[in-house]
Amino acid sequence: IEEASWAAYSDTNSMDPLLDSGANGLEIKPKNENDLQIGDIAAYQAGNDKGLIIHRIVSMGEDENGKYFIFKGDNNKIEDPEKIRFNQIKYVLIGIIY
């Protein structure tokens, strides 16, 4: 797969049971907003955090600042608090190897 990269994950439990410390991911960089859909798992840079967060896109919308994405960890009870913009999304997961 062209331009794909490997990823390892921290054991945060937010994406259990799908992603855990023993899983490796195959990720690609999305080219534009149309490369992302509800249900995709993507890594994004949160506004208040230095690390990447990998969660699932659960909804999309538009506001006065343009298109945004709402994420949630599969094992989390609530959605992530921030509207994520395309420029914050670094990778989309295309495969998992255990």
Side-chain angles (χ1 to χ4, degrees):
I1 297 173
E2 198 171 308
E3 299 182 26
S5 60
W6 287 104
Y9 304 104
S10 299
D11 192 12
T12 65
N13 299 317
S14 70
M15 288 297 292
D16 282 353
L18 184 66
L19 296 178
D20 213 338
S21 60
N24 294 292
L26 190 58
E27 301 176 328
I28 58 172
K29 204 167 190 48
K31 292 182 170 77
N32 59 55
E33 294 172 342
N34 296 327
D35 287 345
L36 301 167
Q37 301 175 25
I38 292 173
D40 284 347
I41 297 171
Y44 71 88
Q45 182 76 51
N48 61 356
D49 187 48
K50 294 181 182 176
L52 291 178
I53 296 172
I54 185 153
H55 281 167
R56 190 179 302 276
I57 298 172
V58 294
S59 66
M60 297 184 270
E62 286 195 42
D63 62 13
E64 63 280 354
N65 296 317
K67 190 168 190 172
Y68 64 85
F69 302 86
I70 301 296
F71 284 79
K72 179 183 168 293
D74 288 356
N75 198 38
N76 291 350
K77 293 182 189 221
I78 60 172
E79 297 172 343
D80 299 355
E82 184 180 350
K83 291 179 180 177
I84 303 301
R85 307 298 170 165
F86 179 74
N87 67 341
Q88 293 174 267
I89 298 173
K90 306 305 179 190
Y91 302 101
V92 64
L93 184 68
I94 59 169
I96 304 168
I97 299 171
Y98 297 98

